[in-house]
Amino acid sequence: MAATHILFFPVVLHLFLLWPHAASASGLHPVVLLPGATCTQLEARLTDAYLPPSPQCAAAAAAAPRGARWFRLWKNSTALDDPTVAPCVADQLSVVFDRVAGDYRDTRGVETRLLDFGSTRGFLADDPADRDLCMGRLVEALERVGYRDGETLFGAPYDFRQPPAAAGQPCRSFSRFQRQLRALVERASRTNGDKPVVVVSHSQGGYFALEFLNRSPMAWRRRHVKHFVMASTGAGGFVGSMRFLATRDDSPLGRVGRSSAIKFTPLPSPKVFDRHTPLVITRHKNYTAEDMPEFMAAVGLPASEVALYKTRALPVAMSFRAPVVPTTCVNGGGVPTTETLVYWDGDFGKDPRVVYGDGDGVVNSASILALDTVIGDDPKQEYYRSVKIAGASHVGVVSGAAALRRVIAVILQDNFV
Ligand SMILES: *[C@@H]1O[C@H](CO)[C@@H](O)[C@H](O)[C@H]1NC(C)=O
Ligand SMILES: *[C@@H]1O[C@H](CO)[C@@H](O)[C@H](O)[C@H]1NC(C)=O
């Protein structure tokens, strides 16, 4: 044991002294990326406690040895494209709310883990179609200006099924993510000549990044975060997410969305959408952002789900606030975006008539503009800039050529001051 230590120590010392210096020679501020929902790659293994939901899933599970082998659960295109296996993926990817623990967990008999925390490989699916959606184009653009995965460029994937819960509510998944990201940011900084990092998020990643920052000590934020670049996240969710609550989408993602708290995170927040703006219209009753519990009941969500929305999700939405570290929000606009849903005869099982307004195709401009007041006008927020890219869509902000040039310029600005 002692001998191992003696041999090990010079190696560690060597790395410690030389590596930071070598890496910082690039002169770049390290960048940590948080991609959007469904980008994170998850692995799973089945234990003896797994109860397959159907004979087909039992057969598929029997073919895989239990206990030992980790397999790709998400995103496994081979499994998803096989109609007999896709429902099994949906089942294994679902989470359940454990009343005793007061927290979500993997479904019984399934253990999941992130494929790779710290690297962009942790969220870049093998499926090339996801490169636009999952920051793949941004990674390529960063590599063209000299960034290197694992040296100056890092990935912070998160379990997208388990968004941060209100302070004081158990949320082991997000707590683990906070610890991992804090350690990653410190390591990225240390190995790059103590330069503070640039945190860049897209879409749902913005909620994770913002909660992470706001729950980190102020001194830590100031010391370690040079700049937070938040792309395609509004201050108050988007109306289109209400449609998801109403539909009975039985695809794997639909079922996972229904089982978990991700269905709550993007709901229009009363912080941004006021009590006078009907978001859903029916003949007899309209629903505003403040009527979300009534809307949930109307579309058939059980009271227990409504309670989870009120206790775990809504307080997070209401506390959306300035991260205080220098922040630039980058958003698209000028794309038709769901602004009102009309279920005239009150049948939520039918497709609604959609009234479109301005936004990035997903997030409404009201939610995007609110960033300027919620973050920009906070007296504690010293540096805030809002970049609006006309004609860029929600995903186009991190995948279109012109938008990428703007985003890269925002990220690089820290290297020249
Ligand atoms: C994809 O899923 C199938 C079925 O669950 C599994 O047998 C296979 O090993 C998975 N692929 C990978 C790369 O893990
Ligand atoms: C719902 O909102 C629409 C549009 O603002 C309004 O015309 C209508 O009277 C409202 N209906 C009810 C039942 O309040």
Side-chain angles (χ1 to χ4, degrees):
M1 198 61 200
T4 324
H5 269 119
I6 289 161
L7 287 175
F8 191 57
F9 186 66
V11 178
V12 172
L13 193 67
H14 181 80
L15 283 177
F16 193 78
L17 293 177
L18 295 182
W19 189 22
H21 186 70
S24 70
S26 71
L28 296 168
H29 280 274
V31 167
V32 175
L33 301 177
L34 283 80
T38 78
C39 291
T40 295
Q41 302 295 295
L42 297 169
E43 289 189 310
R45 65 179 175 188
L46 307 178
T47 71
D48 289 335
Y50 181 62
L51 295 171
S54 70
Q56 283 96 327
C57 295
R66 293 201 180 190
R69 198 176 68 97
W70 289 92
F71 60 92
R72 185 78 65 96
L73 178 61
W74 187 263
K75 189 179 174 184
N76 182 331
S77 303
T78 320
L80 291 170
D81 291 344
D82 182 339
T84 61
V85 181
C88 318
V89 175
D91 180 60
Q92 292 163 7
L93 199 56
S94 301
V95 292
V96 291
F97 188 74
D98 183 331
R99 308 238 149 248
V100 178
D103 197 2
Y104 289 88
R105 59 165 171 75
D106 286 320
T107 194
R108 195 178 150 80
V110 179
E111 286 175 32
T112 60
R113 66 178 185 190
L114 304 179
L115 173 72
D116 195 347
F117 187 86
S119 164
T120 58
R121 285 190 307 273
F123 57 79
L124 281 177
D126 307 329
D127 189 348
D130 283 341
R131 294 192 78 78
D132 285 359
L133 181 66
C134 294
M135 286 182 151
R137 303 292 164 216
L138 179 60
V139 168
E140 288 163 10
L142 285 167
E143 285 173 347
R144 278 196 294 275
V145 296
Y147 277 93
R148 292 291 168 262
D149 190 50
E151 293 174 18
T152 44
L153 180 60
F154 303 87
Y158 49 85
D159 186 339
F160 55 86
R161 304 168 304 167
Q162 306 203 48
Q169 296 282 327
C171 191
R172 283 162 301 183
S173 177
F174 186 69
S175 300
R176 189 181 318 117
F177 173 74
Q178 276 181 288
R179 287 194 300 274
Q180 286 179 307
L181 182 51
R182 199 167 291 175
L184 176 65
V185 166
E186 289 171 5
R187 174 165 66 91
S189 173
R190 193 172 61 241
T191 56
N192 282 281
D194 278 335
K195 283 198 169 71
V197 309
V198 181
V199 175
V200 183
S201 69
H202 180 239
S203 193
Q204 192 197 17
Y207 296 109
F208 279 73
L210 193 63
E211 283 304 310
F212 167 77
L213 291 170
N214 279 331
R215 295 182 194 194
S216 297
M218 189 58 78
W220 187 93
R221 281 183 247 176
R222 290 196 193 278
R223 161 76 186 78
H224 289 99
V225 181
K226 176 79 183 172
H227 195 175
F228 173 35
V229 181
M230 186 169 73
S232 301
T233 306
F238 52 90
V239 176
S241 64
M242 293 178 81
R243 186 173 178 175
F244 176 79
L245 284 190
T247 52
R248 294 281 127 213
D249 171 7
D250 221 31
S251 70
L253 263 190
R255 285 187 47 197
V256 173
R258 281 209 303 284
S259 79
S260 75
I262 40 171
K263 61 181 174 297
F264 298 138
T265 306
L267 288 174
S269 156
K271 188 166 185 135
V272 167
F273 294 88
D274 62 51
R275 61 164 74 237
H276 307 293
T277 311
L279 307 177
V280 170
I281 292 179
T282 72
R283 188 200 310 267
H284 297 298
K285 182 165 170 49
N286 290 345
Y287 299 88
T288 69
E290 300 205 335
D291 303 321
M292 211 54 76
E294 290 80 2
F295 177 71
M296 288 176 183
V299 301
L301 258 65
S304 55
E305 288 284 345
V306 180
L308 289 174
Y309 164 74
K310 286 189 194 166
T311 55
R312 290 175 72 91
L314 184 58
V316 176
M318 295 310 283
S319 74
F320 192 104
R321 64 193 186 281
V324 184
V325 296
T327 298
T328 300
C329 293
V330 188
N331 285 284
V335 182
T337 304
T338 299
E339 195 158 277
T340 318
L341 297 164
V342 184
Y343 294 92
W344 189 242
D345 58 11
D347 181 351
F348 296 106
K350 284 197 194 148
D351 281 343
R353 184 168 71 79
V354 177
V355 181
Y356 291 92
D358 190 22
D360 70 4
V362 174
V363 182
N364 308 93
S365 63
S367 192
I368 292 168
L369 291 172
L371 294 165
D372 299 349
T373 46
V374 174
I375 299 181
D377 291 349
D378 187 317
K380 288 195 297 302
Q381 181 68 35
E382 283 163 24
Y383 176 92
Y384 171 77
R385 202 170 135 223
S386 173
V387 174
K388 302 204 176 65
I389 307 176
S393 70
H394 191 70
V395 171
V397 165
V398 291
S399 60
L404 274 176
R405 277 195 293 277
R406 301 281 299 274
V407 174
I408 292 291
V410 168
I411 294 172
L412 287 180
Q413 78 188 37
D414 300 305
N415 294 304
F416 304 121
V417 281

